[in-house]
Amino acid sequence: MKTWTKTININAPIENVWKLLDGSLADMQKIMPQVIENKPVKVTEEVVGSIYRQKYKEGKRIEAYDVETLEYSNTPDKKILKVGFVLAHMFAITAYYELNKINETETSFTYSVTNNAFKWFVKLFLLFASDKVVVEFLERVKTVAEAQD
């Protein structure tokens, strides 16, 4: 299993950043344009345990998978969302998003991803995987959140 964790400060209110992670499909697509569908399969009152069927477009291929909410907290000063899914029957992935309010106009965003390959030959590729995708995602969230008003 491989884990990457990075933190970035964003010059935007915590609610603006949170909306990109826990908002509508249109909001989600601002930071994850490859997600073309996000439909509820099972929604729980406490959010944890909710499952959404997502469709992700990579080139011409469309992959569908179920995303389960594993952890959820939404307070004025701190927000946490952790989801997990299996991709292409090869990887178990968890994504952890944590937002902390620094002040009214600044937010600290920590993003942590774990990738657990099911097949031995895929595990070899993970040995050489870098944090480039994580860094790019943080930068995209920062750019989009700071451009909104």
Side-chain angles (χ1 to χ4, degrees):
M1 180 164 46
K2 190 103 175 192
T3 302
W4 299 270
T5 301
K6 295 284 180 194
T7 301
I8 195 169
N9 285 354
I10 299 174
N11 294 314
I14 192 169
E15 292 299 335
N16 292 17
V17 183
W18 183 241
K19 192 172 82 166
L20 297 170
L21 301 168
D22 191 45
S24 67
L25 175 62
D27 286 329
M28 185 187 297
Q29 287 174 324
K30 292 175 185 174
I31 57 169
M32 296 181 243
Q34 304 91 335
V35 175
I36 57 170
E37 192 174 286
N38 189 46
K39 289 193 173 171
V41 172
K42 172 184 152 192
V43 178
T44 65
E45 203 173 304
E46 58 280 344
V47 184
V48 172
S50 294
I51 297 172
Y52 289 82
R53 169 76 38 88
Q54 273 190 5
K55 287 188 178 173
Y56 182 91
K57 189 172 184 178
E58 186 71 49
K60 292 184 179 183
R61 201 174 89 238
I62 295 175
E63 186 80 37
Y65 47 88
D66 290 344
V67 178
E68 181 177 2
T69 304
L70 305 171
E71 194 175 335
Y72 187 88
S73 176
N74 184 356
T75 66
D77 294 339
K78 184 173 189 165
K79 300 175 185 303
I80 294 172
L81 175 62
K82 181 178 183 182
V83 297
F85 57 97
V86 173
L87 188 59
H89 307 291
M90 286 206 230
F91 302 98
I93 297 170
T94 62
Y96 175 85
Y97 312 101
E98 181 179 319
L99 301 178
N100 287 288
K101 180 178 180 176
I102 296 171
N103 57 45
E104 295 306 315
T105 60
E106 202 174 0
T107 304
S108 171
F109 175 33
T110 299
Y111 177 49
S112 186
V113 175
T114 61
N115 191 330
N116 190 12
F118 296 143
K119 300 184 176 17
W120 67 269
F121 58 90
V122 181
K123 289 181 183 182
L124 294 175
F125 288 107
L126 282 181
L127 293 174
F128 303 104
S130 74
D131 63 0
K132 180 179 177 226
V133 173
V134 173
V135 171
E136 287 174 353
F137 180 71
L138 283 173
E139 290 293 338
R140 187 166 46 248
V141 171
K142 178 178 173 67
T143 301
V144 171
E146 289 179 354
Q148 295 187 113
D149 250 322

